[in-house]
Amino acid sequence: MSIVRAGFYSSIATAARLLAALVIVKLVAWLAGPEGVGKLGQFMSLMSLLAVLAGGGISAGIVKYVAEYRHDAQKLSRLLSAALWYACVASAVMGCAALLMSRPLSLWLLGDARYENLIRLLAVAQLGIALANYILAVINGFMDVRRLAFIQVLGSTLSVVLALGLSRWLHLYGALLALVAGQLLLLVVGLPAWRRSPYFRRGMLRLQFDREMSLKLAAFSIMTLTSALLLPLINIAVRNHLALRYGWEQVGYWQAVSKVSDAYLLFLTTAINIYYLPKLAATHDRTALTSELRHAYRYLMPAVLVLALLVYAMRGWVTRLLFSADFAAANVLYAPQLLGDVLKVASFLLSYLMLAKAMTRLFVISECVFALSYLALVYVFTAWFGLVGAMYAFAVNYLFYLAFNLVVARRYLGAL
């Protein structure tokens, strides 16, 4: 499947996911204003963190090795049995931990013990979320983009309906509850869709420990968990720093602009996840790898530049549409954020080489270094420039990350 066709299907799926996410943000903006949007970001960081931890952080590993082993029935069966065992054990551990820590998490992230039961529900849902991630990763590994898009579109549509109903009934609490339930809807939709696929075998739902395959998956677990742990934790630290310095209303402006970036970049990052990770994993010739990367830059960099310029030109309208007139102060934050988005995509295209080729040590070290450098830059730049300094920190950090990835790619592939 070509990147154009993969991009078409992934765009449909991304549009559905984006609509679902924006409905939640809009509801929270209506119900609780900028302060509520800031706290929504905290809860979404926790969800992101637990969702990856629950599955053991092996989704990228499943995609890579399914792409490699799909023509070897024995290895594929061993891989998937080990992956399902790994994901179930990890989700049980994380679910229990989240249950025990539900009250401290509620107080730390949301400053209100009333959300303790919501975090308990999120903890109980971890097994279902882990199974949904497992199914999506297997489908992605087979590069069945059409089926993957169908699952995400139908799941997102149902989650929008659920969000509208729950928010009308339970207000802000209901909107946050819909975020949790939306993850489980992917399992409800995904399992029957996967069972109808031509490559589904009953053995893919068997749990079995396999030392060799578990060790291979563990390398990806380390890489994914490093990234997944650091990003939400660093963002939580940034929000807390901004809240202490400027108040939660200002955090809401920062969160709003970050959310807009996340929204339009979903179209590009989804295409990279769906197409390039399995493609790079299955390609071993260095000349072919270089060709794939050039192909990616030829299509994706013009796209991100055009999208960033459109968002900047329409920033006032976008802010009013997605949030409300109360968020007008966020408009001055867009320029450095959008520049950082362009640098982010440019660096991500190269960083996927480390994931696809299991460069575990280098990936983990780089993720730690650049996560901490971002936090340090936020402290420095906000002291100099105020709230907009957080956006300057984002752009400068991705400039450094791009330079690092260029060095790594040149060393691995030779001259690009």
Side-chain angles (χ1 to χ4, degrees):
M1 179 175 286
S2 69
I3 186 174
V4 175
R5 192 173 175 187
F8 170 74
Y9 286 118
S10 68
S11 294
I12 294 173
T14 302
R17 289 167 54 203
L18 179 58
L19 176 61
L22 293 180
V23 166
I24 299 291
V25 173
K26 184 72 173 181
L27 287 170
V28 173
W30 276 344
L31 294 167
E35 180 176 340
V37 172
K39 292 190 175 182
L40 171 68
Q42 296 289 70
F43 185 70
M44 291 179 72
S45 289
L46 176 65
M47 278 192 63
S48 173
L49 183 64
L50 289 180
V52 177
L53 288 172
I58 57 173
S59 290
I62 294 173
V63 173
K64 170 183 166 58
Y65 289 116
V66 168
E68 284 191 18
Y69 299 156
R70 57 185 173 177
H71 301 301
D72 187 331
Q74 184 181 9
K75 281 190 174 181
L76 182 62
S77 178
R78 288 175 56 202
L79 167 75
L80 294 181
S81 295
L84 190 56
W85 175 88
Y86 200 116
C88 287
V89 170
S91 63
V93 172
M94 287 311 304
C96 291
L99 275 173
L100 292 172
M101 297 290 292
S102 58
R103 187 174 183 82
L105 285 171
S106 179
L107 292 170
W108 177 48
L109 292 176
L110 302 169
D112 194 334
R114 288 179 300 174
Y115 295 97
E116 181 181 356
N117 286 335
L118 184 64
I119 293 176
R120 286 175 178 168
L121 287 173
L122 178 60
V124 173
Q126 292 310 296
L127 179 59
I129 294 171
L131 292 173
N133 289 341
Y134 168 79
I135 291 169
L136 295 177
V138 173
I139 294 171
N140 194 0
F142 278 101
M143 297 191 75
D144 189 355
V145 181
R146 190 171 359 185
R147 195 176 307 273
L148 194 63
F150 168 78
I151 293 169
Q152 292 178 334
V153 168
L154 184 54
S156 298
T157 303
L158 293 173
S159 70
V160 167
V161 175
L162 187 64
L164 292 172
L166 287 175
S167 63
R168 184 176 180 181
W169 178 32
L170 298 171
H171 306 290
L172 177 59
Y173 193 96
L176 296 179
L177 180 59
L179 285 173
V180 180
Q183 296 295 310
L184 296 176
L185 286 172
L186 289 175
L187 176 61
V188 173
V189 174
L191 183 57
W194 180 41
R195 288 175 66 91
R196 289 180 174 84
S197 69
Y199 46 83
F200 174 78
R201 301 290 181 272
R202 287 188 179 274
M204 293 178 176
L205 291 172
R206 184 181 64 202
L207 284 77
Q208 184 175 334
F209 175 73
D210 185 304
R211 186 175 183 277
E212 180 188 351
M213 291 299 176
S214 294
L215 287 174
K216 287 186 175 184
L217 291 169
F220 277 87
S221 183
I222 292 169
M223 289 190 287
T224 305
L225 292 179
T226 301
S227 179
L229 280 168
L230 284 173
L231 182 60
L233 289 175
I234 291 297
N235 280 337
I236 287 169
V238 169
R239 289 189 199 97
N240 285 338
H241 169 69
L242 296 178
L244 286 172
R245 195 173 181 92
Y246 307 110
W248 277 105
E249 183 175 339
Q250 296 293 312
V251 177
Y253 301 145
W254 175 85
Q255 182 66 42
V257 175
S258 299
K259 201 66 189 171
V260 171
S261 286
D262 291 343
Y264 83 87
L265 285 181
L266 259 180
F267 288 95
L268 301 175
T269 55
T270 301
I272 294 170
N273 280 324
I274 290 175
Y275 181 81
Y276 274 101
L277 182 55
K279 191 76 172 178
L280 293 177
T283 303
H284 300 288
D285 180 73
R286 296 195 176 193
T287 302
L289 281 171
T290 302
S291 177
E292 285 294 340
L293 289 170
R294 285 177 174 167
H295 195 57
Y297 273 94
R298 190 177 302 123
Y299 281 98
L300 295 177
M301 289 313 299
V304 70
L305 283 167
V306 169
L307 286 171
L309 288 172
L310 281 173
V311 171
Y312 182 74
M314 302 172 67
R315 61 194 182 281
W317 179 81
V318 167
T319 302
R320 287 193 303 274
L321 175 68
L322 299 183
F323 304 100
S324 69
D326 294 337
F327 287 77
N331 291 335
V332 297
L333 306 176
Y334 276 95
Q337 177 71 29
L338 295 170
L339 174 61
D341 291 342
V342 174
L343 295 169
K344 177 179 180 177
V345 172
S347 60
F348 269 24
L349 288 173
L350 293 174
S351 71
Y352 266 67
L353 193 61
M354 288 189 283
L355 270 177
K357 300 308 171 187
M359 303 180 194
T360 307
R361 182 181 300 178
L362 185 61
F363 185 87
V364 169
I365 292 172
S366 66
E367 287 292 302
C368 292
V369 168
F370 286 101
L372 293 174
S373 68
Y374 169 55
L375 183 59
L377 288 170
V378 166
Y379 273 80
V380 172
F381 285 4
T382 52
W384 290 350
F385 304 107
L387 182 64
V388 73
M391 275 57 189
Y392 293 154
F394 175 78
V396 170
N397 200 55
Y398 271 111
L399 178 62
F400 293 156
Y401 191 54
L402 175 59
F404 166 78
N405 279 291
L406 282 168
V407 173
V408 172
R410 284 183 180 276
R411 288 186 63 182
Y412 184 79
L413 300 171
L416 291 176

